[in-house]
């Protein structure tokens, strides 16, 4: 049981998201016009979306 298929992760992990570029998407808190907002940011290509699920 050492190997885990890549497909096994998709749909099972609730808080793990991946960018199409292969990087890991992390939630960040950003101040925008006086408001705290959570943004999803890809570590690899620095792409930003409002929600992690927007990465496809
Ligand atoms: Zn990316």
């Amino acid at each position: 049981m050492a190997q885990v298929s890549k497909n096994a992760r998709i749909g099972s992990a609730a808080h793990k998201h991946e960018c199409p570029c292969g990087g890991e998407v992390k939630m960040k808190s950003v101040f925008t016009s006086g408001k705290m907002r959570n943004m999803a940011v890809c570590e690899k290509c620095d792409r930003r979306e409002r929600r992690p699920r927007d990465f496809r």
Side-chain angles (χ1 to χ4, degrees), residues 26-38:
K26 292 203 169 176
M27 295 304 296
K28 285 191 179 180
S29 298
V30 183
F31 258 114
T32 310
S33 58
K35 284 188 179 178
M36 265 289 245
R37 306 198 76 147
N38 273 331

Side-chain angles (χ1 to χ4, degrees), residues 2-55:
Q3 280 203 328
V4 179
S5 164
K6 258 195 170 185
N7 290 333
R9 297 190 304 175
I10 298 176
S12 56
H15 284 291
K16 183 117 180 181
H17 299 275
E18 275 190 5
C19 179
C21 79
E24 190 174 331
V25 175
K26 292 203 169 176
M27 295 304 296
K28 285 191 179 180
S29 298
V30 183
F31 258 114
T32 310
S33 58
K35 284 188 179 178
M36 265 289 245
R37 306 198 76 147
N38 273 331
M39 289 196 74
V41 183
C42 171
E43 286 190 320
K44 202 171 172 181
C45 69
D46 207 37
R47 176 179 161 186
R48 294 173 182 216
E49 301 287 350
R50 289 180 62 190
R51 296 162 181 268
R53 64 194 294 178
D54 287 340
F55 284 91

